[in-house]
Amino acid sequence: MEMQQEKSQSKSAKTFSSEFDRIFQKLKDNENFAFSRFSDGEVYILKGEKLVLADDHYITGDRSGGGVYTKEEHKSFDPDKDSFFQEKLVEALQHRQENYFKGLTGVADEDIAGKDAFQFQLDICGEGDDEHLTYSNLFINNNYPRFMQEMLPVICEKEIVVVANEAANFDELPLKIIKNFEVGSNCIINDYHLVEEVKNWIASNHIEDTIFLFSASTLSNYIIHECFKEHSNNTYLDIGSCLNPWMGLEGWKHSRAYLQHWILKMPNKYGTQVDTWI
C-alpha cells in the first residue's frame, strides 16, 4: 500500500510548469535527450481510426466537419491500408530509453482528446516508465511565452538541423541551421523514407551535440524514435507549430488557437490552458 501511495504521489507531482522546467534544464545543461509529442492526431493513428485534414474538411475517427487546412497541414491516415504506420507509432510510444521523453495528450481539453485518450496512451506505455512521460503540449498553450522567451534563445546558441515543410523559410529565425530535411504534403505517409535518410546522414557525418528541431506531424515521432535509439548523443525536439509564424507558413492562422491567442491577439482558452495529469 505504501509503495502504491508513493507511486500515486509521484505521478500527481507533474505540473505543466514544472515539467517545462525539467526539460528546459536538460537543454541548459547541454544534456542530450529526445522529446516526442503524441498529440490528438497521434491518438487517432494509435487507435487505428481514420484521420484526414484536407483543404476544406476534416475527418477524425467518427467525427467530420468543415475547416481550412493549407497544403502544409494536409494529412491522411487510412487504417485499412496504413497499419504499418500505426505499428511504428505504437513502437515509438512504447520505447523506453534514458532521456527519451514522450509527451502525452493532456486531459484539460476533453473536446479534443480528454481523459479517455490520456489513459489510452498510458495503457500503451505500460507501468514503470513514468519518469519519461510528460505533456505533449509542453511548449504551447500557457507555456508558449516561456518557449519563445526562454527556451528559443538557448536553442539558437547551438547548431541546428531542421525537419519541416518544404514551404518553410527560416530567414526570420536566428537559427544556426546546418541541414534542412524538407517534407511534403501528408508527410506522415509519403516521407517515411526520411527515417533512414536522417539516421544515415547523422552516422556518415559523425553528428554529435546538435539540436534537431521537428515540425513534421507524426513523421517527427518516427524519426525521433529511430534516431535517438542509435544516436543518443544529439538532442531531438518535437516543436510542432511553435515557430510556424516565422517560417512563412499560413496554416496556423486557421488551425492553431494558441498561436491565434499569442500572435494574432485573438483571446481563447488555449492560450492560457494548463494541462493536468491524472
Side-chain angles (χ1 to χ4, degrees):
M1 179 66 71
E2 253 181 52
M3 288 181 65
Q4 287 182 342
Q5 288 178 344
E6 286 177 7
K7 189 174 187 180
S8 175
Q9 289 170 358
S10 173
K11 287 186 176 181
S12 64
K14 293 184 192 290
T15 68
F16 204 44
S17 60
S18 66
E19 284 296 288
F20 183 95
D21 291 336
R22 183 165 73 110
I23 296 299
F24 187 29
Q25 190 61 52
K26 291 183 179 295
L27 198 63
K28 290 188 289 187
D29 290 343
N30 294 312
E31 182 179 356
N32 287 314
F33 66 95
F35 169 67
S36 186
R37 303 175 64 245
F38 295 82
S39 295
D40 50 311
E42 283 69 52
V43 170
Y44 293 112
I45 296 175
L46 288 166
K47 287 184 173 181
E49 297 180 350
K50 191 168 186 178
L51 173 64
V52 175
L53 296 185
D55 284 334
D56 57 359
H57 72 281
Y58 72 88
I59 301 173
T60 52
D62 59 0
R63 299 173 61 185
S64 62
V68 178
Y69 299 97
T70 54
K71 187 178 179 182
E72 78 258 16
E73 295 187 305
H74 285 184
K75 64 181 69 174
S76 176
F77 169 79
D78 183 342
D80 292 331
K81 62 180 183 180
D82 297 328
S83 60
F84 168 83
F85 301 98
Q86 179 188 8
E87 293 168 6
K88 288 300 177 182
L89 192 58
V90 170
E91 288 177 14
L93 183 53
Q94 290 182 329
H95 180 67
R96 297 186 179 191
Q97 184 178 348
E98 184 64 25
N99 277 337
Y100 178 76
F101 295 95
K102 298 167 283 191
L104 308 186
T105 303
V107 300
D109 185 5
E110 297 191 4
D111 293 337
I112 291 180
K115 196 169 291 188
D116 290 343
F118 183 70
Q119 186 61 54
F120 169 76
Q121 291 173 300
L122 283 177
D123 291 342
I124 292 177
C125 292
E127 295 288 341
D129 201 31
D130 184 65
E131 177 189 351
H132 295 101
L133 303 182
T134 186
Y135 303 93
S136 65
N137 291 337
L138 201 57
F139 300 154
I140 66 173
N141 297 348
N142 197 58
N143 281 342
Y144 185 63
R146 293 196 62 193
F147 173 83
M148 293 300 296
Q149 296 165 13
E150 299 176 39
M151 186 173 284
L152 185 58
V154 175
I155 292 172
C156 290
E157 294 173 358
K158 300 190 73 171
E159 291 187 331
I160 303 295
V161 175
V162 176
V163 181
N165 190 267
E166 60 192 358
N169 182 293
F170 306 101
D171 292 345
E172 292 186 37
L173 293 168
L175 299 174
K176 303 173 185 175
I177 299 176
I178 62 171
K179 179 70 173 177
N180 176 23
F181 290 94
E182 296 182 348
V183 306
S185 185
N186 198 27
C187 65
I188 64 175
I189 306 296
N190 297 335
D191 292 319
Y192 187 80
H193 59 90
L194 282 178
V195 173
E196 288 301 317
E197 288 185 24
V198 176
K199 277 200 305 182
N200 292 339
W201 180 81
I202 293 172
S204 61
N205 291 280
H206 309 289
I207 302 300
E208 296 183 0
D209 298 320
T210 297
I211 295 179
F212 287 67
L213 298 182
F214 293 84
S215 181
S217 186
T218 310
L219 180 63
S220 304
N221 303 94
Y222 304 142
I223 301 177
I224 291 173
H225 170 221
E226 295 294 343
C227 284
F228 196 69
K229 276 198 305 184
E230 296 187 21
H231 304 288
S232 59
N233 50 358
N234 293 297
T235 291
Y236 305 87
L237 293 178
D238 186 349
I239 61 169
S241 54
C242 283
L243 297 180
N244 283 18
W246 294 274
M247 290 163 54
L249 302 175
E250 298 291 328
W252 64 272
K253 294 179 180 179
H254 309 287
S255 61
R256 296 293 184 270
Y258 80 95
L259 290 175
Q260 294 170 357
H261 177 99
W262 291 109
I263 308 301
L264 300 181
K265 307 305 179 186
M266 297 169 55
N268 60 70
K269 66 178 182 179
Y270 296 102
T272 56
Q273 181 170 286
V274 174
D275 278 359
T276 56
W277 201 261
I278 291 179

